[in-house]
């Protein structure tokens, strides 16, 4: 029996290299990317979408009077696509509690740290400054708290003595392109289920990838 393709909308603000990983592996992941929405005009990820024939929508947040107004417009856009899953891939906007509630159990994000460490920005530099042995990335369910929802999968790698924030960020990106599609594959295949804010494994999974 073939599973129905998962309909996804990807939200971006920038380069969209994680988006590209989903575009490249959509078939294998059993997803269909219905639309890409950016809150930043000219974000390169929009080009990536267009190049693959995916509907690319710009919703500049500056055009809205408040966060709530922007989120209402964003929700309307997402609703048009009846998506099963909303993938935040470098989407640099805090979502209002109302938005998150409207799409409970349907929004996932990738954050470049080994959560719960280093929520927020500049995670690579913070990990270097703290002389951490390891750094990584986490795919998590989005809740009303920033970078706080339950973790689906983490990727971890050693920080090298000569690492700069840039070199570390580059290696973390490569790791992100492995773990984010993996998380989506688990969702689309039913290997994990998300219910009432909880991640439920339906079979034993290796949820920590170390490279
Ligand atoms: C990634 O580092 C991700 O962890 C963070 O934003 C960045 C997006 O990169 N949330 P890209 O736009 O997918 O290249």
């Amino acid at each position: 029996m073939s599973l129905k393709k998962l309909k996804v909308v990807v939200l971006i603000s920038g380069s969209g290299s994680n988006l590209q990983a989903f575009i490249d592996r959509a078939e294998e992941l059993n997803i269909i990317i219905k639309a890409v929405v950016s809150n930043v005009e000219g974000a390169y990820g929009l080009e990536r979408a267009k190049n693959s024939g995916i509907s690319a929508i710009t919703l500049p947040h500056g055009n809205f009077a408040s966060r709530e107004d922007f989120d209402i417009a964003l929700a309307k856009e997402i609703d048009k696509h009846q998506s099963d899953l909303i993938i935040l891939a470098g989407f640099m906007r805090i979502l209002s509690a109302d938005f998150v509630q409207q799409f409970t159990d349907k929004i996932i994000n990738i954050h470049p740290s080994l959560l719960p460490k280093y929520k927020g920005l500049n995670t690579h530099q913070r990990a270097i400054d703290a002389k951490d042995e390891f750094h990584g990335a986490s795919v998590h369910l989005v809740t009303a708290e920033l970078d706080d929802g339950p973790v689906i999968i983490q990727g971890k790698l050693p920080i090298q003595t000569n690492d700069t924030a840039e070199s570390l960020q580059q290696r973390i990106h490569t790791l992100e392109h492995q773990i984010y599609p993996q998380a989506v594959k688990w969702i689309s295949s039913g290997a994990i289920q998300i219910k009432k804010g909880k991640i439920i494994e339906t079979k034993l999974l290796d949820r920590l990838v170390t490279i």
Side-chain angles (χ1 to χ4, degrees), residues 62-80:
N63 292 357
F64 296 86
S66 66
R67 183 175 304 284
E68 285 68 28
D69 284 357
F70 172 80
D71 283 0
I72 289 168
L74 180 61
K76 268 194 190 151
E77 198 52 60
I78 291 170
D79 277 341
K80 285 185 198 163

Side-chain angles (χ1 to χ4, degrees), residues 14-19 48 89-92 109-112 124 169 173 176-177:
S15 154
S17 69
N18 281 284
L19 163 67
R48 296 182 192 267
F91 183 65
M92 303 303 283
N109 182 41
I110 188 156
H111 182 72
H124 312 294
Q169 180 175 27
H173 247 125
E176 291 182 7
H177 303 158

Side-chain angles (χ1 to χ4, degrees), residues 9 56 82 100 124 133 157 204:
V9 170
Q82 302 188 322
V100 174
H124 312 294
E133 200 180 339
L157 51 74
L204 201 60

